[in-house]
Every structure is written in structure tokens, then in C-alpha cells.
Amino acid sequence: MNASSTVEEKFDVLVRRQQFLNQDGKQAIKEILRTKKKAKIFWGTAPTGKPHIGYLVPLAKIVDFLRAGLDVTVLYADIYSFLINYLHPQPRELVEHRRRYYHLLVTAILQSLGVQTSRIHFVQESSYAYTKSFVSDFSRCCSLMTQQDTPDTMDEEGRTKTLSPLLCCVHQYLADIHLDTDIQFGGEDQRPIFQHASKIIPQLGYRKRQYLMNAMAPGLKGGKMSSSDPASAKIEFLDDARTVTDKIMEIPIGESHGGYSTDNAVLGILRTILIPLSELRLEHHKDEFANDAFVSADAPEGTLFTIEVAIWCFGECVRKHYKSYDEIEEDFRCWRMGEEDLKLAVARSLNCVLEPVRRRLGSSEEWKELELLAYP
Amino acid sequence: MNASSTVEEKFDVLVRRQQFLNQDGKQAIKEILRTKKKAKIFWGTAPTGKPHIGYLVPLAKIVDFLRAGLDVTVLYADIYSFLINYLHPQPRELVEHRRRYYHLLVTAILQSLGVQTSRIHFVQESSYAYTKSFVSDFSRCCSLMTQQDTPDTMDEEGRTKTLSPLLCCVHQYLADIHLDTDIQFGGEDQRPIFQHASKIIPQLGYRKRQYLMNAMAPGLKGGKMSSSDPASAKIEFLDDARTVTDKIMEIPIGESHGGYSTDNAVLGILRTILIPLSELRLEHHKDEFANDAFVSADAPEGTLFTIEVAIWCFGECVRKHYKSYDEIEEDFRCWRMGEEDLKLAVARSLNCVLEPVRRRLGSSEEWKELELLAYP
């Protein structure tokens, strides 16, 4: 992808694996690419619990945004984190420690994906949320919303009786405007809030924004992987290689219709995290990436994933090379591959992805200090 | 009252006719008077519907505050008014028109009560609510509150489904802090919100504030008189003399235990508005006040209210002079005074109070312009 790439080429890279709010969104995003020299996109994260490997999904997607020539902002929603109020009773200092913790980690992940982080704007919500124009929009937005809008749009906030979480979605709507971006990018779980934002923003008198949504990494015990989950239901970047392998090996694999079920977190991690990363590696920056992460040295060109499959009747293993996720799922579902074979391959690949991140952070004094401050 | 007045003397003037949150409040207010050279007090009003004569209760009390040597602020809660959201769909401009309308009216009333308005600070909420320190306190306050706190503390906000009214009480709590006052002064209807504020403010890390509450002027059809009521249930400053008289004459007077009931708006207006104003006149600034408002020229010293009472058996009237509200209530309850006699006296006195306000505003071009802008 380069300066001479067509709008269609950029569009294809920008939106692959993404969902839209509706068909109009597709057209609108093409129009943005056609008319703007450098469209602006942002991804926001609230510094709350320790980040898990689900963050690899949006962060890998940022590589695509940069390739498509977009101006990319990572937003640390620090005021949002305070309002969501997990952090009482010493919240503001803690939020700031966690914001710094997230930043070190996000930076290390992006670097391990071959991203020059100098190309990205890192912004804190608190850098614009104390302006008169923000506060004024905040009041206006609240006057256009019902008290039920927040519980309707956000799971977490439907479970609390505290007042402040009701205000979180207002902060999310206004990020579009006060970062002055064209596209907001988040997970599928954000669909209701993006839908509401796309209704509210024109009522506030601003131009419509567009929304892209990635698939969610699965939690080890079902649902999406979430920072609020207990450590046993998620894989954290901090987990050492052995812990990662143990967690993967313990994921329950169901059976259905005379084969393995495909509804499990092992395949989910493969589909949402590992295969997209392997595609990136193939297309884009093979050399900067851990080469043996996904594919063995003897694999043919175009291989996305290699799995050592035990052939029991012969008492030996064969190496199988796959060019797509679907081929793996098919082999697995039809018992042409053992549960342990798949799990070991996924655990090994995931560890290869996490290793450079752990290495970068392990040598950082700031990181060690922040681990104690942010998660005492 | 002068520089040599004792703390006890100042205290008595400051708190007369006022209720406290609790006994501690009494001691705390004495302590404030003892230790501070010039204690600070504020009264806030939200520019929404057209002000009614109930405003005479707090505005007359301001005379006492000044006599007791306090530093007095009148707060126009303009952001609060926006959030309460009566005013959709062209709200912000409308709030500002109404703020200016309120200011002209409040100034005219205070002047008609003999107050030098240069001694009062007139402040708009929007002058401090866009500061970082306010916004930060706002978030903290919301994180300490439940969603149910607002409906529990404020009638109006329990009736709405819009999000923004939930935030009004937060603005009220923070006014104490961001005006840097010692005492907030409001109506009895504010008791739950003052109680909640006195709980929240120390949790935010600020010193406790004190609260004084005046009696509420009664609505013509029961309950308190409110800006949100229809015009027939309140008397507005704008009402001409005839309308005021008609409204008073139509107030229903019940009977009980072989006499008139004392639970009616005629006696309520007399007790909460006219008698306190007459006391002020007697004590303080007899000459600046409409002299014939309450007392006939032949009344003996110390008379607070004169009523022409018809003596039916003789076919004539006698002028009765009262030195307290209780004497009037007693005569009325025991049928020693006719319903019409009382109503006419109240209507006449009220018109005498309103007349100078109407006169001041009637000659103001700004007022005429604002009437159209603020209440189109």
C-alpha cells in the first residue's frame, strides 16, 4: 500500500474483518477516504483492570489503519475510568498510574507489531474534557438523553447504582467530537453505544461520525474476554509462558454432531488474534515479527498456521500447514486433529507473540514501578 | 445593628424565622459569626418560569443578612436551569434571557425593600462551572452519589426521565464550595438536598457548610407556590393590581371546628410575606418603604397590620390594629373578622408591596425587551 493506492484498495485494508453499523456506513467511509487527504480514526481504552490479550485484536488492526494512510489516535479515557468508579476510594491517582501502565503496555505491543509509535497520537481524555466547549456539550448531551439510555447501551453500567457510570457514555459520544475524528473504532460489544452516538451527535449540531467494530476475543470461560474478569478467565500480557500454556490447555472443548464443537476459546483466540497477526506478518513486515510464531520453517509459501498433528495409528506426528482459519476449523471439527495438538499450537504461537512484549517491559524500571502503583 | 453588635444579636437577626438542619447547625453558625470577620452566605435561584411573590420571602430575608453584617451572594443557577431542561429546544439562549429577566426583577425587588444592591454579589453559575476544579469536583461528586439520590432529594427531578436533571443537585452541592461561602440559604423544600449536601461535601474533602431554610409561600391552590405552577395558582410580579386582588379573593377558605380554617393561602401569604415585610419596615427603613402598605395612619406604635373589619350588626366598619400575626389568625379563626375583610386587606397590602416593583420595571426598556425574549 502506498501513495498511489486507490480508494478501493485503502478501503479494503481499512475495513477488513470489521463490522459496520449499517450499509450507509460503508458508503460514508468510502466517501471520507475519497474526500479527505488524511482521514482521522481513534480507538479508546479506559485504564481500569490489567489489559488482556484481547487488546491484540484492535492493536493489530491499527497496523491496517496506518497502511490505509489514516491519522490514528489512541485515546486513554481517564475521566471515563474515574466515572466508571471501580477504583474508589483513592481513584484519581490510581487512574493516572493505570493510564501510564496502559501506555507502556500499548506502546510495547504496537512496537512488537512493527508499528512506529511516533506515527500515532496518544491522547488523554483529561486533556480536552476540562474545556468550556466540552463541558457545554456535556450538558447539552445529557439534556438529550434519558436515564435509561446508558443501561441500555452499556452492560457494565446497567449493573451499578452509582450515579457517575451513567455519564460514561456521554464521554464516549463526545470523544468523536472533541478529538475531531471521522471514524471511531471499537469492539462489537460497542454496537449499542455507537448506534446511540450516531443518533445524538447530529442532534448536538455536529457532522455524523462513522464506526468500525472488530470481533471480540473470547473469554476462557465463555462470553467476551474482559478486564473485569477474574485472572482465570482471561490471559494477561503479564502471564508467563507456563501460565499461558496452562490456561489454554484447561479451556473446555465441547463436542457436537460427532465432532468437536467450534464454540470454544481456543478456536476463538486462533480466529480473532493469531490468524490476523499471521496475515499481517505475511503481508507486511515479516522480518520484524517473531518468524517462527505461527509457521514452521519448512512451510510452503502462503501458510498462515502450522500445527503438529499426532497420527495415533502410526505413533508419530505430521506437520500440517494451513492457509486459512477455515481449514483448521474443518480439520478440528471432524476430529482430524486432536484437542491437545490444537491447544499446544495455539499456546506456543501466543507465547511467541507475547514474548517480545514481556521482554520489552521486563527490562523497564518504569514498568516495575508502575506495576506496584497501578495494581497494588 | 452596628459594628458593636454582639454575636448573639447578629445571630438572632440572621436566623429569625429560619429552620436549621439540626441543633449542631445553630452552634456552627454562631461559631462562624464569632470567628469570621464577614461570614459569607448565598441564595440561589434557577431562571426558569416567571418568578412569583414567593420570592419576597427569601429576598426580604436578605435584608436581615446584610443587617447581621454578612457578605451576601445571589446566585443565578443558569446551568442548573439548562439541565432541568424545561426549555428545550432552544435552551441556552433562552436561559440567558431568563437570567437577565430574573436579575432585573430581583434587583427591583431588593431596591423596593430598601437594599443597596451594590452591597450584593450577583453571580452566574456559568462563571465558575467551566473551570477545571469545578469539573473535577463534579466527577468526584457523581462518583459518591447513587442514581436514586436525586429523585430522593428533589421533587421536580423525580418526575423526569431525562438524564440531565439528575445532575442538578450536584450543581447545587458544588455551589457551596465554588462560591466559597459558609452558609447556603433556601426554602424548607430544600431540606433533603441540604441534608445530602452536608453529607457529601466533607466526603469531597471540603469543610462543612451550614444551611438556613425559610418558610415557603403557599400556592393559591395548596402546596408551595412554584414557578412551575399555572398562573392561576400563583401570583406573579407581573400581575396587575386587579389580577392580584381577584386571585386573592378567589382563594378558597375552609371551615373547621366552628370557625374558619387557618390552612389557606390568604393567611399563608400574610404570615410568610406580609408580616415579615411589615416587621422589616418597623425596625429598619420605615421611610423607604410604602408607608401605608400594612398600617393605617392612625395606628398605635408597634402595629404590624391594620384590617378594616365590618361589624354587621351596626352596619359599619372598625379599624383593627394588630401587633402580631397570631392575633390576626385568632380573630379570623373565631369569626371575629369576615373572610372578605381579611382578603381585601391582604390584597391591598400585597399590591402596595408590588406597586414600586411594577413601577420600576414598567419604565425600563430592557425589561420590555426581555419580557418578549424570555417568555415568548
Side-chain angles (χ1 to χ4, degrees):
Chain A
M1 190 125 308
N2 54 46
S4 67
S5 300
T6 66
V7 165
E8 289 295 333
E9 284 167 339
K10 288 181 179 174
F11 179 79
D12 290 343
V13 168
L14 174 63
V15 306
R16 66 174 171 169
R17 290 192 210 92
Q18 300 301 293
Q19 293 186 31
F20 301 86
L21 278 190
N22 48 45
Q23 281 302 317
D24 291 349
K26 264 190 197 169
Q27 289 312 312
I29 289 176
K30 274 192 193 165
E31 189 60 22
I32 288 169
L33 290 179
R34 212 183 328 269
T35 54
K36 291 202 85 167
K37 196 169 154 60
K38 210 168 171 67
K40 288 166 138 183
I41 195 166
F42 88 95
W43 173 74
T45 181
T48 53
K50 286 187 183 177
H52 51 75
I53 57 165
Y55 282 69
L56 284 165
V57 183
L59 292 174
K61 188 65 200 165
I62 284 177
V63 178
D64 284 344
F65 298 155
L66 292 170
R67 287 174 66 203
L70 270 66
D71 184 297
V72 179
T73 295
V74 169
L75 172 69
Y76 298 115
D78 49 0
I79 296 182
Y80 182 112
S81 292
F82 176 82
L83 293 171
I84 200 82
N85 202 29
Y86 292 126
L87 308 171
H88 202 59
Q90 49 163 345
R92 290 197 294 186
E93 298 71 19
L94 206 55
V95 169
E96 177 55 13
H97 295 321
R98 292 184 177 187
R99 201 271 311 161
R100 288 175 57 209
Y101 180 99
Y102 269 53
H103 182 59
L104 276 192
L105 182 58
V106 164
T107 309
I109 296 167
L110 286 170
Q111 285 166 348
S112 80
L113 296 174
V115 171
Q116 286 177 290
T117 48
S118 61
R119 294 179 64 193
I120 294 180
H121 310 286
F122 296 96
V123 177
Q124 291 174 243
E125 201 183 8
S126 54
S127 70
Y128 61 76
Y130 293 127
T131 59
K132 179 168 177 175
S133 101
F134 183 91
V135 175
S136 168
D137 281 344
F138 180 86
S139 299
R140 293 200 298 137
C141 196
C142 289
S143 79
L144 293 168
M145 289 172 58
T146 71
Q147 296 163 23
Q148 190 56 35
D149 279 340
T150 305
D152 283 350
T153 51
M154 299 174 95
D155 282 356
E156 280 165 334
E157 299 174 21
R159 292 195 296 257
T160 177
K161 291 185 169 167
T162 306
L163 176 58
S164 58
L166 287 194
L167 309 176
C168 285
C169 66
V170 186
H171 276 256
Q172 186 159 350
Y173 302 157
L174 296 182
D176 283 319
I177 293 159
H178 290 266
L179 290 172
D180 192 25
T181 47
D182 304 297
I183 306 169
Q184 184 175 170
F185 160 63
E188 274 176 29
D189 58 336
Q190 309 268 298
R191 180 179 289 275
I193 203 167
F194 287 168
Q195 275 169 333
H196 201 253
S198 72
K199 195 181 79 180
I200 287 277
I201 286 176
Q203 289 181 49
L204 287 169
Y206 294 107
R207 73 177 196 278
K208 267 201 163 185
R209 265 56 176 191
Q210 299 305 320
Y211 301 90
L212 290 177
M213 290 170 284
N214 61 253
M216 305 301 293
L220 305 186
K221 296 180 174 173
K224 63 162 187 163
M225 194 175 284
S226 163
S227 299
S228 332
D229 286 341
S232 62
K234 59 183 176 181
I235 297 175
E236 292 173 0
F237 283 93
L238 289 287
D239 287 344
D240 60 29
R242 178 60 185 270
T243 305
V244 171
T245 304
D246 287 350
K247 282 181 175 175
I248 298 280
M249 297 312 282
E250 279 162 22
I251 293 171
I253 305 279
E255 292 184 19
S256 72
H257 303 307
Y260 284 118
S261 163
T262 56
D263 180 23
N264 63 69
V266 187
L267 283 176
I269 290 169
L270 185 67
R271 181 174 52 81
T272 60
I273 298 176
L274 298 176
I275 295 294
L277 286 177
S278 187
E279 281 180 356
L280 277 189
R281 175 193 58 93
L282 258 192
E283 293 165 5
H284 183 49
H285 51 139
K286 212 166 172 170
D287 302 334
E288 299 163 35
F289 223 81
N291 260 320
D292 56 353
F294 312 104
V295 172
S296 64
D298 58 345
E301 192 73 14
T303 298
L304 283 179
F305 210 75
T306 300
I307 302 180
E308 303 259 348
V309 178
I311 310 292
W312 293 109
C313 50
F314 297 104
E316 62 181 31
C317 282
V318 295
R319 235 177 239 137
K320 294 193 76 172
H321 307 292
Y322 297 94
K323 293 193 172 179
S324 76
Y325 167 79
D326 288 343
E327 291 171 16
I328 305 174
E329 184 183 302
E330 169 79 7
D331 267 13
F332 180 74
R333 190 167 46 76
C334 302
W335 283 351
R336 288 196 289 267
M337 175 194 311
E339 176 182 331
E340 201 176 284
D341 298 335
L342 177 68
K343 285 178 167 176
L344 281 172
V346 165
R348 179 185 51 78
S349 304
L350 195 52
N351 271 323
C352 288
V353 172
L354 298 179
E355 189 47 35
V357 180
R358 291 188 203 118
R359 209 167 44 231
R360 271 171 212 271
L361 295 176
S363 61
S364 158
E365 284 305 314
E366 190 182 2
W367 177 255
K368 280 175 201 148
E369 181 199 346
L370 278 176
E371 279 193 297
L372 296 172
L373 289 171
Y375 299 97
Chain B
M1 190 124 309
N2 53 47
S4 68
S5 299
T6 66
V7 164
E8 288 297 331
E9 284 168 338
K10 287 181 179 174
F11 178 79
D12 289 343
V13 168
L14 175 62
V15 307
R16 65 173 173 173
R17 289 191 212 94
Q18 299 301 292
Q19 293 186 31
F20 301 87
L21 278 190
N22 48 44
Q23 281 302 316
D24 292 350
K26 266 190 196 169
Q27 289 311 312
I29 288 176
K30 274 191 192 166
E31 189 60 23
I32 289 169
L33 291 179
R34 214 184 326 269
T35 54
K36 292 202 85 167
K37 198 169 153 60
K38 210 167 170 68
K40 288 167 139 182
I41 196 166
F42 89 94
W43 172 73
T45 182
T48 51
K50 286 187 185 179
H52 50 76
I53 57 164
Y55 280 69
L56 283 165
V57 182
L59 291 174
K61 188 64 199 165
I62 283 177
V63 178
D64 284 344
F65 299 154
L66 292 170
R67 287 174 66 202
L70 271 66
D71 184 296
V72 179
T73 295
V74 168
L75 171 69
Y76 298 115
D78 49 1
I79 297 182
Y80 182 112
S81 292
F82 175 81
L83 292 171
I84 200 81
N85 203 28
Y86 292 125
L87 308 171
H88 203 59
Q90 49 162 347
R92 289 198 294 187
E93 298 72 18
L94 206 54
V95 169
E96 177 54 13
H97 296 321
R98 291 184 177 187
R99 202 270 312 161
R100 289 174 58 209
Y101 181 99
Y102 268 53
H103 182 59
L104 277 192
L105 182 57
V106 163
T107 308
I109 296 167
L110 286 170
Q111 285 166 348
S112 80
L113 296 173
V115 171
Q116 287 177 286
T117 49
S118 61
R119 294 179 64 192
I120 295 180
H121 310 287
F122 295 95
V123 177
Q124 289 173 244
E125 201 183 8
S126 55
S127 70
Y128 61 75
Y130 294 127
T131 59
K132 179 168 178 177
S133 101
F134 183 92
V135 176
S136 167
D137 281 343
F138 179 86
S139 299
R140 293 199 300 135
C141 196
C142 289
S143 79
L144 294 168
M145 289 172 60
T146 70
Q147 295 163 24
Q148 190 55 36
D149 280 340
T150 307
D152 283 350
T153 52
M154 300 175 95
D155 282 357
E156 279 165 336
E157 299 172 22
R159 292 195 295 258
T160 176
K161 291 186 170 168
T162 305
L163 176 58
S164 58
L166 287 192
L167 309 176
C168 284
C169 66
V170 187
H171 276 256
Q172 187 159 350
Y173 302 157
L174 296 181
D176 283 320
I177 294 159
H178 290 266
L179 290 172
D180 191 26
T181 47
D182 303 297
I183 307 170
Q184 184 174 171
F185 160 63
E188 274 175 30
D189 59 337
Q190 309 267 299
R191 181 178 288 276
I193 203 168
F194 287 169
Q195 276 169 333
H196 201 253
S198 72
K199 195 181 79 182
I200 288 277
I201 285 176
Q203 290 182 48
L204 287 169
Y206 294 106
R207 73 177 196 280
K208 267 199 163 185
R209 264 58 176 191
Q210 299 306 321
Y211 301 91
L212 289 177
M213 290 170 283
N214 61 253
M216 305 301 294
L220 305 186
K221 296 181 173 173
K224 64 162 186 162
M225 195 176 284
S226 164
S227 299
S228 332
D229 286 340
S232 62
K234 60 183 176 180
I235 297 175
E236 292 173 0
F237 284 93
L238 289 288
D239 287 344
D240 60 30
R242 177 58 185 271
T243 304
V244 170
T245 304
D246 287 350
K247 283 182 175 175
I248 298 280
M249 299 311 283
E250 278 162 22
I251 294 172
I253 305 278
E255 292 184 18
S256 70
H257 304 308
Y260 285 120
S261 163
T262 57
D263 179 24
N264 63 68
V266 187
L267 283 176
I269 290 169
L270 184 66
R271 182 174 53 80
T272 61
I273 298 176
L274 298 176
I275 295 293
L277 286 177
S278 188
E279 281 180 356
L280 277 189
R281 173 193 59 92
L282 259 192
E283 295 164 6
H284 182 51
H285 51 138
K286 212 166 171 171
D287 302 335
E288 299 164 36
F289 223 81
N291 261 318
D292 56 352
F294 312 105
V295 172
S296 65
D298 59 344
E301 192 73 12
T303 298
L304 283 178
F305 209 76
T306 299
I307 303 181
E308 303 259 349
V309 179
I311 311 290
W312 292 110
C313 49
F314 298 104
E316 62 182 30
C317 282
V318 296
R319 233 176 239 137
K320 295 194 76 174
H321 307 291
Y322 295 95
K323 292 193 174 181
S324 77
Y325 167 78
D326 288 343
E327 291 170 16
I328 305 174
E329 183 183 304
E330 170 77 8
D331 267 13
F332 180 74
R333 190 167 45 76
C334 301
W335 282 350
R336 290 195 288 268
M337 173 196 309
E339 176 183 331
E340 199 175 286
D341 299 335
L342 177 68
K343 284 179 167 176
L344 281 172
V346 165
R348 179 185 51 77
S349 303
L350 194 53
N351 272 322
C352 287
V353 173
L354 298 179
E355 188 48 33
V357 180
R358 290 189 202 116
R359 209 168 44 233
R360 274 171 210 272
L361 295 177
S363 60
S364 157
E365 284 304 314
E366 190 181 1
W367 177 256
K368 280 176 202 148
E369 180 199 345
L370 277 175
E371 278 194 296
L372 295 173
L373 289 170
Y375 300 97

